[in-house]
Amino acid sequence: MRPLTEEETEKVLGKLTYFIGDNVAQLIDRSDGNYCFRNHKERVYYCSEKLMRQASVIAREPLLAFGTCLGKFTKTKKFYLHITALDYLAPYAKNRVWLKSQAEQQFLYGNNILKSGIGRMSEATPSNAGVVVFSMTDTPLGFGVSAKSTQDCKKADPTAVVLLHQCDLGEYIRSEATLT
Amino acid sequence: MDLIGHFPSTEVQKDVDPMVDVGNLLLIDRQPVTSDSDELKDRARNNTQLLLNAIWQLERQQVEDAVVAILPAPTYRLPREKIIPQPRQPTKWELYAKAKGIKKRTKDKKKFDDLTGEWKPTYGYRRGNDSTKDWVIEIPQNAADPMKDFFEERIEAKKERVAKNEMQRLKNIAKQLNSTVKKGESTDKLIGVGVNPMEKTKQQVRFAADRARAATASAGKFQETIKGEKPNVKTGKKRKFEPNEGKITEENKRALQIFDKIKAKKIKIIEEKAAEIAGPNSSDEGKKERGKKGKKPARMKSEVHRQQWFKNKIKSKKSASARGGRKGKK
C-alpha cells in the first residue's frame, strides 16, 4: 500500500472528472473526515484515513482489499474504473441516462444501449462524455460513454447506438474473481 | 645528576621470573594479576623495562646512525591466526586405487629415444616415441576402412583422451565444491557476440536505442529526440513514493492542486471544441472582416510579376483566338 504518485493521481482524478466533473473536489476534501487514495497491488482504493491506517498493519501479500476499489492500473499504466467505483460516481454524476425496463437487462448483460432503450437523458450531454446509467426507479446500474449528444439523439433513429457500455452491475457476477 | 632522581631505576625486581622471548620481542608476566590500576601501570612499565634490558644485552650493530640489536630466533610458538585448512578430498581415481590397492608407480621424467639416440621427456612437448609423429603407419590387415587417414585417427584419439581427462578433473573439482557438472554444450552466452538485430525483440531494440542515445560524452543530455520517439524507460532512477502514513491533509492538498491543473486543461479543450463546432461560419466572417478592415499585407514582387504574366497570357490568348477566327472564316 502506498500513496499515488503525481502521474497516478492525475490519471485517477482525470478519469473521475470524466464522470463527475468538479465534484471530484468533494471526494478529495470531505467534510466528514479525511479520506485518501491508495495504490495497493496496482489497484486504487479509496478509504478513510482510519481504515487505511488499520489496513497498513497487514503485510502487502496477505492484504486483499480495503475501502472501496475504484479501479486498476493496467500494465501500460492506464487507469480503468471498476464497477465498485459506482457508489461514488452515481450521486455526483454530471451526465445521466435512465433506461427503460426492457433495456435494463440488455445493459446488465454487457451490451450497448440503443436509442429505443433510453427512457430519459440529462440535458446538454455532449458526445463522448462519461455517463452514469440508472434504471427508471433511480437505481444506478453502471456507467458508459455517450456515443451521441442529447441534441443528436433527438434526431437519431431508434436503432442508433446512443450509449457505449463500460461497466455494469452484472460484473459483480461475471468477473467476481478479479473484483476486489 | 638531577635527572636520574626523577626516573625509576632500570633494575627491576620480580617475585616470579617472567618468560622473555626476545626473538618475538615478547615478555609474558606469570605473576597473578590484581585489580589495582596503579599497580598494573607499574607492572607494565617494569615489564617493558625488563624486555628492553634483555634487548640491550644482545649483540649490537651500527647501521648508519642507528644502533641495531640482532634478534635471536624466536622460541615461543605464536598461535596460528587462521584455522587449519581442510585436507583435499580424494579424487575418484584415488578412491578407486585405494579400494583396489593400486600403488602409484613413478616413471622417469626422461626417456631414452632410440631413433635419435637422445634423452627426451616421457610426456608432453617433444616427447620421445611420439606416436602422433610417426612418419609412416602400417595399415592393419583387418582394417575396416583401409583408405581412412590413420594419422588423423591417432591425433583425434589423443585429443579425446585429453578432453576426457579434463572432464574428469572438472568433475572432481565439482565434487569437492558439492555441485555437478552440466552435460551437453554450454548454454552460457558468448561474450562480445551480440544478438542479431533481426532476432531482437521490440523491447531489446528499444533498450539498445536508449543505451545508444545515452552513449555520448554528456550522457545523452543534449541529445535531441526524434519526432514520435518515446522517452527512455530505463533512466536508472529508482521509483520513490511518499510515505504511506504521512499527513493526509497535505496529501489531499496536493491532490487538489493536481485536480485544478486537470480542470484548467479541460476548459482549454472545451473552448477549442466549441470553436471547432462553431468553426466554419465564424472563421469565414473573420476572413471577410480582415479583407475589409484589416491591414493588407504588402504585395510581393513575385506576386506582381505573376499577375502581369497572367494578364499577358490572357491578352495573347485573346489575340490568338481572334486571329484564328479570321483564319477560320477565310
Side-chain angles (χ1 to χ4, degrees):
Chain A
M1 187 196 317
R2 60 175 173 83
L4 305 183
T5 63
E6 206 161 299
E7 290 149 21
E8 283 169 349
T9 316
E10 212 174 303
K11 277 172 189 165
V12 172
L13 296 186
K15 187 67 90 169
L16 289 175
T17 316
Y18 187 57
F19 282 96
I20 61 177
D22 292 353
N23 292 328
V24 174
Q26 289 183 349
L27 285 183
I28 299 168
D29 204 10
R30 278 168 69 137
S31 54
D32 59 337
N34 287 330
Y35 274 68
C36 58
F37 297 94
R38 282 287 178 277
N39 184 329
H40 175 63
K41 295 179 182 172
E42 292 306 304
R43 271 156 212 272
V44 175
Y45 294 91
Y46 179 67
C47 66
S48 67
E49 187 189 355
K50 194 187 166 199
L51 180 61
M52 183 273 290
R53 282 183 195 281
Q54 283 168 341
S56 67
V57 175
I58 301 166
R60 187 188 304 169
E61 193 74 353
L63 180 60
L64 290 177
F66 56 94
T68 310
C69 179
L70 291 184
K72 70 168 183 184
F73 281 106
T74 62
K75 297 230 159 107
T76 49
K77 303 295 165 206
K78 282 175 192 148
F79 182 66
Y80 276 77
L81 281 173
H82 279 166
I83 185 61
T84 38
L86 185 65
D87 291 349
Y88 289 102
L89 297 184
Y92 299 116
K94 273 194 307 187
N95 308 315
R96 299 168 189 228
V97 157
W98 287 265
L99 297 186
K100 286 178 190 159
S101 53
Q102 78 265 21
E104 251 173 51
Q105 201 195 30
Q106 286 289 311
F107 182 70
L108 290 178
Y109 279 20
N111 296 318
N112 297 333
I113 305 282
L114 308 181
K115 193 203 163 186
S116 58
I118 286 179
R120 216 143 60 86
M121 195 173 183
S122 54
E123 284 296 313
T125 304
S127 60
N128 299 324
V131 176
V132 175
V133 180
F134 291 83
S135 71
M136 285 313 263
T137 54
D138 262 349
T139 325
L141 297 177
F143 47 88
V145 175
S146 62
K148 284 190 164 56
S149 62
T150 320
Q151 293 265 317
D152 294 341
C153 196
K154 278 171 189 167
K155 293 173 214 160
D157 57 278
T159 55
V161 175
V162 171
L163 189 100
L164 301 168
H165 167 273
Q166 273 195 342
C167 246
D168 63 78
L169 288 179
E171 254 152 68
Y172 277 111
I173 295 168
R174 290 204 301 274
S175 47
E176 193 183 354
T178 53
L179 281 179
T180 53
Chain B
M1 290 224 281
D2 279 345
L3 279 173
I4 293 167
H6 286 289
F7 292 110
S9 165
T10 55
E11 277 167 36
V12 180
Q13 293 295 322
K14 293 287 265 186
D15 297 338
V16 183
D17 271 350
M19 203 205 93
V20 185
D21 174 17
V22 196
N24 276 326
L25 296 179
L26 172 80
L27 182 139
I28 297 170
D29 194 349
R30 284 158 175 167
Q31 215 167 306
V33 182
T34 52
S35 58
D36 187 10
S37 70
D38 280 346
E39 204 209 305
L40 279 175
K41 269 185 195 164
D42 254 18
R43 264 173 77 174
R45 184 258 150 201
N46 286 344
N47 288 339
T48 317
Q49 184 64 60
L50 264 179
L51 181 61
L52 284 168
N53 285 352
I55 291 167
W56 276 110
Q57 275 164 12
L58 293 172
E59 201 181 320
R60 268 171 259 163
Q61 250 185 6
Q62 182 93 18
V63 177
E64 292 178 0
D65 288 343
V67 180
V68 174
I70 298 166
L71 298 181
T75 51
Y76 185 79
R77 274 189 74 183
L78 290 169
R80 191 186 161 88
E81 182 201 0
K82 292 189 172 118
I83 50 164
I84 297 166
Q86 295 279 320
R88 184 177 59 82
Q89 272 189 335
T91 62
K92 208 172 173 185
W93 163 254
E94 279 168 351
L95 285 174
Y96 177 78
K98 204 181 173 193
K100 288 277 179 183
I102 299 169
K103 286 263 167 59
K104 200 174 186 178
R105 277 178 296 155
T106 50
K107 282 187 186 172
D108 288 337
K109 280 198 166 177
K110 295 260 179 168
K111 210 167 153 190
F112 191 74
D113 189 18
D114 298 330
L115 275 175
T116 51
E118 275 177 72
W119 286 91
K120 288 196 163 179
T122 317
Y123 303 106
Y125 183 55
R126 283 188 171 170
R127 63 180 175 273
N129 304 328
D130 190 346
S131 67
T132 58
K133 290 275 160 64
D134 280 348
W135 66 276
V136 64
I137 298 171
E138 201 177 327
I139 296 173
Q141 284 292 322
N142 53 354
D145 177 15
M147 298 308 288
K148 77 174 172 190
D149 190 351
F150 284 91
F151 294 99
E152 187 68 31
E153 192 191 19
R154 280 187 184 180
I155 291 169
E156 283 300 311
K158 172 77 188 168
K159 273 184 188 167
E160 227 149 81
R161 286 200 299 277
V162 170
K164 189 191 170 196
N165 193 37
E166 176 68 9
M167 191 64 197
Q168 282 172 336
R169 188 181 72 87
L170 290 176
K171 267 187 187 169
N172 279 324
I173 291 172
K175 211 176 97 190
Q176 282 171 16
L177 298 171
N178 267 338
S179 66
T180 51
V181 175
K182 281 179 199 161
K183 277 179 185 170
E185 275 182 36
S186 169
T187 52
D188 296 341
K189 276 186 183 170
L190 293 174
I191 296 166
V193 181
V195 185
N196 183 5
M198 298 302 285
E199 286 166 9
K200 276 183 180 172
T201 61
K202 193 178 164 191
Q203 199 184 34
Q204 278 175 321
V205 173
R206 188 68 215 291
F207 288 159
D210 287 342
R211 238 173 287 131
R213 212 147 68 87
T216 65
S218 46
K221 196 183 172 185
F222 304 107
Q223 207 71 6
E224 282 176 10
T225 47
I226 305 162
K227 194 186 170 192
E229 191 184 3
K230 283 178 189 167
N232 193 349
V233 199
K234 299 224 159 175
T235 47
K237 275 180 194 163
K238 282 208 161 187
R239 301 189 301 172
K240 250 190 179 176
F241 302 122
E242 297 290 318
N244 188 33
E245 315 221 346
K247 270 193 176 172
I248 297 291
T249 45
E250 297 243 327
E251 214 181 288
N252 285 344
K253 228 182 262 172
R254 237 177 293 137
L256 278 176
Q257 277 175 4
I258 292 169
F259 178 56
D260 286 340
K261 239 194 269 173
I262 294 169
K263 269 199 295 187
K265 260 187 214 169
K266 279 272 148 69
I267 287 163
K268 220 184 195 175
I269 292 163
I270 288 164
E271 273 175 0
E272 274 170 19
K273 273 198 172 172
E276 229 174 72
I277 291 159
N281 297 329
S282 60
S283 61
D284 272 7
E285 279 172 16
K287 269 181 194 170
K288 273 176 197 169
E289 273 174 31
R290 215 185 292 146
K292 281 175 188 170
K293 292 175 187 172
K295 206 181 176 186
K296 277 183 185 171
R299 273 215 278 178
M300 304 288 280
K301 200 180 176 188
S302 60
E303 231 174 314
V304 177
H305 279 292
R306 240 174 66 195
Q307 281 186 349
Q308 280 176 350
W309 184 81
F310 272 113
K311 268 182 190 171
N312 292 339
K313 202 182 173 188
I314 290 161
K315 261 186 198 171
S316 64
K317 263 192 179 177
K318 271 181 184 172
S319 59
S321 64
R323 258 180 269 147
R326 246 179 266 155
K327 267 178 192 171
K329 273 174 190 172
K330 269 186 182 177

